[in-house]
């Protein structure tokens, strides 16, 4: 599977994050970022702003470039 922005791995990660915020980051192996996205989205959904983190999670997964690429 190719790596980098626009790769099929990033598309899959973005789709995962669409369903569960942070899941795309987890698929990419970014555990800390996945936890942050999930917790922030869960906390902000309480005040109906979780959609902001949800969208950020999707875009972050789609646009991620591994270091050194």
């Amino acid at each position: 599977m190719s790596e980098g922005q626009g790769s099929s791995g990033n598309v899959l990660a973005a789709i995962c994050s669409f369903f569960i915020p942070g899941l795309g980051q987890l698929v990419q192996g970014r555990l800390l970022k996945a936890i942050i996205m999930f917790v922030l989205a869960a906390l902000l959904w309480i005040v109906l702003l979780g959609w902001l983190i949800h969208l950020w999670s999707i875009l972050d997964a789609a646009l991620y470039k591994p270091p050194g690429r």
Side-chain angles (χ1 to χ4, degrees):
M1 178 168 19
S2 64
E3 302 264 342
Q5 185 176 343
S7 72
S8 58
N10 282 10
V11 172
L12 175 63
I15 291 169
C16 289
S17 280
F18 176 80
F19 291 105
I20 300 173
L23 185 57
Q25 287 73 19
L26 188 62
V27 166
Q28 292 171 329
R30 300 187 293 152
L31 180 61
L32 182 59
K33 187 85 171 226
I35 292 168
I36 291 169
M37 295 283 190
F38 184 78
V39 170
L40 281 176
L43 290 174
L44 288 177
W45 272 116
I46 294 169
V47 292
L48 301 177
L49 292 175
W51 61 272
L52 291 171
I53 303 298
H54 205 142
L55 288 176
W56 177 34
S57 177
I58 295 167
L59 289 173
D60 179 70
L63 301 176
Y64 175 68
K65 288 185 189 177
R69 300 228 178 217

